[in-house]
Amino acid sequence: MWKTGARKRVVTTALRGRTPDSGADINVGGGEPVSDDPFRLDGKVAVVTGGGRGIGLMIARGLLTAGATVYLCSRKAAELDAAVQTLSALGPVRSITADLSTSNGIDIVRSQLSDREAAIHALFNNAGASWGAPFADFPESGFDKVFSVNVKGVFLLTQALLPLLTTGAPMSGVNNFSYSASKAAVHMLTRHLAGELAPRVLVNAIAPGLFESKMTATLLTAGADAIGAQLPLGRIGRPDDIAGIAVFLASPASAYITGAVIPVDGGLSTTR
């Protein structure tokens, strides 16, 4: 679900915990039938962040109408109190006041939910922040605030509530969550900067795949040839591959290109 406006775009990430006999994982959206009406949520517990107003309030109203117990989370106690008063006639609704951009706020939500509920069946990461300012005046704090809520907060709250969303089975493996999220942000930032700085400055992004470096050493422990053979072009990147695109973008040959994200990855991006 997207909310668009003149100054902000907020995404609601919906996570639904599966029942024990369905396996220990989480899915985006959806719901499992609990009666003849597949849209009934009787006996289910849902958490809505940013639930004191706007889209969060709308989500909560729908969940309550469908029979769920709803917890609203926000850092603004007055808004939560008003929301609970407005929604209480529809079903059981409770509030948790916490700043989800901080680890302390995440822990408050986790602790209170753990004390009150044995399981959570749906988590709606609806809380969002935005910051608008002219390019020349945009402050570092504008990035810190927005990323703390919109990216880091979503990940950390989901991580903290995962035992309540699933059977609690251990999750194995290692992933680069913060790295991949930061790179996705760079791709969108490239487009924004390209529009802001045109026609004075061209802004493009190079999205490299596997090249030998300190950062990729662990990924290449099986050997560059063995790993590269799994890529569509059959090898990892060579110095000339990255140098060539860099020279192209720095030269007059790229004078009519801006806002592009150019993969130099041997076809890796086509396999995902």
Side-chain angles (χ1 to χ4, degrees), residues 38-219:
F39 290 96
R40 290 300 303 171
L41 296 173
D42 304 284
K44 303 299 184 182
V45 178
V47 178
V48 182
T49 70
R53 62 181 180 182
I55 288 178
L57 193 64
M58 299 175 200
I59 291 172
R61 186 185 300 275
L63 294 170
L64 287 165
T65 301
T69 295
V70 176
Y71 286 85
L72 307 177
C73 305
S74 171
R75 61 187 176 86
K76 298 181 179 180
E79 285 188 354
L80 287 177
D81 291 343
V84 169
Q85 184 175 3
T86 299
L87 298 172
S88 58
L90 299 175
V93 54
R94 304 177 179 92
S95 65
I96 300 175
T97 303
D99 184 351
L100 297 177
S101 68
T102 67
S103 57
N104 181 61
I106 298 289
D107 191 59
I108 288 173
V109 174
R110 181 202 58 76
S111 177
Q112 292 196 27
L113 287 171
S114 297
D115 288 344
R116 299 177 186 179
E117 303 292 344
I120 294 171
H121 303 93
L123 166 62
F124 293 84
N125 282 304
N126 173 73
S130 66
W131 193 296
F135 175 76
D137 301 322
F138 203 97
E140 180 181 359
S141 57
F143 277 92
D144 295 339
K145 174 186 176 183
V146 172
F147 273 69
S148 290
V149 178
N150 297 4
V151 181
K152 186 175 73 173
V154 169
F155 177 83
L156 293 180
L157 183 62
T158 302
Q159 182 186 58
L161 297 185
L162 193 60
L164 291 173
L165 279 164
T166 71
T167 60
M171 299 180 67
S172 60
V174 177
N175 216 320
N176 53 353
F177 299 104
S178 56
Y179 178 81
S180 57
S182 71
K183 291 305 179 182
V186 169
H187 293 177
M188 182 57 73
L189 182 60
T190 297
R191 295 173 59 186
H192 278 280
L193 288 175
E196 176 70 28
L197 301 180
R200 298 168 295 153
V201 178
L202 305 179
V203 182
N204 297 289
I206 299 172
L210 276 174
F211 287 77
E212 286 193 85
S213 70
K214 182 178 180 179
M215 185 177 290
T216 62
T218 301
L219 298 175

Side-chain angles (χ1 to χ4, degrees), residues 12-16 26-31:
T12 296
T13 305
L15 297 124
R16 188 255 304 163
I26 52 177
N27 285 339
V28 176

